[in-house]
Amino acid sequence: MIKCIDVSDLKVGMFVDDLNCDWSSHPFFRKSFLLKNEQEIEKIVAAGIHEVYIDTSKGLDVKHARTAEEVKVSLEKEMIEALSQEQALPLKVELADEMSRAARIKNQAHELVKTVMQDVRLGKAVELEKVDPMIESITESLLRNGGALLTLLRIKHKDDYTFLHSVSVGTLMIAFCRSVGMDRETIHLAGMGGLLHDTGKALVPDEVLNKPGRLTEAEFDIMKRHPRDGFDILCRTDGIDEIPLDITLHHHERIDGSGYPHHLKGDTISTLAKMAAIVDVYDAITADRCYHKGMPATDALRKIYEWSKYHFDPKLVQAFMRCVGIYPVGTLVRLESGRLGVVVEQNEGSLLQPKIKTFFSAKSGVYLTPEIVDLSKPLGFGGGDKIVSHENPEQWQLNPLRFM
């Protein structure tokens, strides 16, 4: 049985099934292992980890601990209560109409970040006159239909992860800031900060940056230098604003002080840096890497909500979930009727009842004529169904993007 326990309950002889934190926040080579000595427990605590999941079938038990399923049910109930009354932002164009433009913007932004990284390695300055128009293009795409670009950016090739991650963080920061009502200039600067937040990784050796496996402690220490390196690089950039500098330097800080490089706590971290921390982790844990499989977006949101007790600002986490939706656009879901469909739009009335394009029957295993289902409408008016689970496209050997 898998249970969630506080680190104060850890004992030698327990089997850690999951360290319960994002991959960039701990120096362990594996996330699952048998605790063999007190030093390993001390290492977990020192990494700023507060709760872990243990497998009682492989090691010692904690009788009073909640099961993983009990924790999941509790978290999902809290998330639904927090977000069920929120409104989605109105869209200017349909998803399908924006997809081709969003694909071009994604490719252009990817090439821009790649060029920035290459220039930094050659000792050249970052050219903001090339970055500014890209931020504007991303913003305009999100204004037309945020789901298109955000969905495309969830698809990353492992070899280009570093570049596309930066594009995703920049795009998500723009969407996040817009959703909480920030002014246009702040949104622009926050997007720039997201796009450039990992500039310091240009100085990380390739054998560390692209290592096909977990980093050693020494390699992890090298990687942890990138926020300061990026800050130093951008400080030499003419016309750079304080907002991109702050996001670059502090996107790995955590509100409990367990982050880096300065171990800042609580309100000593700026709001935009707190937002960037949430966005950075969300994109990282939903992406496939050489050494781990990305989480479905809905599972990632639940984990970030769980971690917000210690690492993230809970109110900002809730605001981020309102921004992307509990079932983000592009999520494959199973309906009560047995149909599978892909989320194509958030609903203005409820984030729990998005619009779905159904195209497959899980009961009969056959493709259906694609149909838009608005889950907020009653039976007979295009609705009357409800989501019972989100699905892994690989399990069904489906490509939901074909139907968006």
Side-chain angles (χ1 to χ4, degrees):
M1 182 180 293
I2 307 300
K3 290 186 173 182
C4 181
I5 69 168
D6 190 273
V7 293
S8 62
D9 288 324
L10 280 174
K11 291 181 174 60
V12 174
M14 288 182 175
F15 188 90
V16 176
D17 181 72
D18 186 353
L19 286 165
N20 198 29
C21 65
D22 69 281
W23 65 268
S24 65
S25 297
H26 67 81
F28 293 91
F29 187 74
R30 294 166 295 176
K31 70 172 186 177
S32 304
F33 53 92
L34 181 69
L35 288 172
K36 297 179 180 178
N37 52 62
E38 292 291 338
Q39 288 72 32
E40 290 179 327
I41 297 175
E42 293 169 4
K43 194 174 174 182
I44 291 173
V45 174
I49 296 169
H50 297 267
E51 295 176 337
V52 301
Y53 286 88
I54 61 171
D55 187 339
T56 61
S57 69
K58 299 179 181 178
L60 299 178
D61 192 4
V62 177
K63 297 296 183 183
H64 64 268
R66 293 185 298 168
T67 67
E69 186 60 29
E70 288 172 337
V71 173
K72 179 181 177 180
V73 170
S74 176
L75 288 169
E76 289 180 348
K77 182 180 178 182
E78 289 178 24
M79 289 168 62
I80 289 170
E81 289 175 353
L83 305 180
S84 58
Q85 302 303 315
E86 295 299 329
Q87 301 288 313
L89 290 170
L91 305 174
K92 292 184 178 180
V93 302
E94 294 297 321
L95 181 71
D97 295 333
E98 184 59 24
M99 288 296 277
S100 59
R101 280 180 293 193
R104 287 195 300 272
I105 291 169
K106 173 189 173 182
N107 292 335
Q108 292 165 358
H110 169 253
E111 288 302 316
L112 173 64
V113 173
K114 192 173 181 179
T115 298
V116 167
M117 293 288 202
Q118 290 170 343
D119 286 348
V120 168
R121 287 192 172 189
L122 294 172
K124 297 180 181 180
V126 176
E127 299 179 71
L128 292 186
E129 61 270 22
K130 293 182 179 179
V131 177
D132 281 323
M134 193 72 257
I135 299 299
E136 287 302 311
S137 293
I138 292 171
T139 302
E140 290 301 323
S141 179
L142 292 176
L143 286 171
R144 289 189 294 266
N145 190 307
L149 187 54
L150 291 173
T151 298
L152 291 174
L153 284 169
R154 285 166 59 184
I155 305 168
K156 298 180 180 67
H157 298 293
K158 295 169 185 176
D159 293 341
D160 288 335
Y161 169 79
T162 298
F163 309 128
L164 286 174
H165 171 66
S166 292
V167 178
S168 293
V169 172
T171 303
L172 284 164
M173 281 298 289
I174 292 169
F176 195 179
C177 291
R178 175 181 170 241
S179 73
V180 296
M182 291 187 176
D183 63 86
R184 185 66 179 255
E185 182 180 2
T186 301
I187 293 172
H188 182 93
L189 292 170
M192 180 183 294
L195 199 71
L196 300 175
H197 80 291
D198 271 348
T199 301
K201 286 185 177 178
L203 304 185
V204 176
D206 282 338
E207 61 269 22
V208 175
L209 185 63
N210 299 315
K211 183 179 179 180
R214 275 281 177 194
L215 301 179
T216 65
E217 286 190 58
E219 291 167 339
F220 190 57
D221 287 339
I222 292 172
M223 184 68 81
K224 286 167 67 174
R225 293 204 294 257
H226 80 268
R228 183 75 220 189
D229 287 342
F231 175 81
D232 291 341
I233 291 165
L234 294 181
C235 279
R236 300 192 292 269
T237 302
D238 290 338
I240 195 74
D241 190 88
E242 288 297 321
I243 287 176
L245 290 174
D246 176 43
I247 288 172
T248 299
L249 184 60
H250 295 133
H251 65 275
H252 279 290
E253 299 289 357
R254 301 292 182 259
I255 61 172
D256 64 352
S258 65
Y260 59 88
H262 297 135
H263 304 289
L264 300 180
K265 289 185 177 182
D267 290 337
T268 61
I269 310 169
S270 72
T271 296
L272 286 170
K274 290 176 183 175
M275 293 168 72
I278 294 166
V279 166
D280 180 57
V281 170
Y282 171 78
D283 188 69
I285 65 178
T286 53
D288 289 341
R289 302 298 303 275
C290 297
Y291 45 86
H292 76 80
K293 182 71 177 171
M295 290 183 187
T298 301
D299 290 345
L301 289 170
R302 187 179 68 251
K303 294 307 294 184
I304 289 173
Y305 184 79
E306 180 178 3
W307 299 335
S308 70
K309 288 187 292 183
Y310 308 107
H311 290 171
F312 307 115
D313 184 313
K315 290 183 179 179
L316 288 176
V317 168
Q318 291 181 24
F320 180 67
M321 290 191 294
R322 288 193 287 271
C323 171
V324 298
I326 292 178
Y327 302 104
V329 173
T331 302
L332 182 67
V333 296
R334 185 205 295 250
L335 301 181
E336 192 172 44
S337 62
R339 291 177 293 177
L340 296 185
V342 60
V343 177
V344 293
E345 187 179 325
Q346 300 301 321
N347 200 298
E348 291 187 29
S350 172
L351 294 177
L352 296 173
Q353 297 175 308
K355 293 180 182 179
I356 312 292
K357 181 177 280 189
T358 57
F359 60 89
F360 190 79
S361 170
K363 291 181 178 178
S364 58
V366 298
Y367 284 96
L368 307 172
T369 301
E371 176 187 2
I372 296 292
V373 178
D374 186 342
L375 298 183
S376 68
K377 293 183 177 180
L379 184 66
F381 293 89
D385 215 335
K386 68 178 181 179
I387 296 172
V388 293
S389 67
H390 58 276
E391 302 289 316
N392 180 357
E394 291 184 359
Q395 175 186 342
W396 297 94
Q397 297 182 325
L398 298 172
N399 179 10
L401 281 179
R402 288 175 49 207
F403 300 92
M404 295 183 67

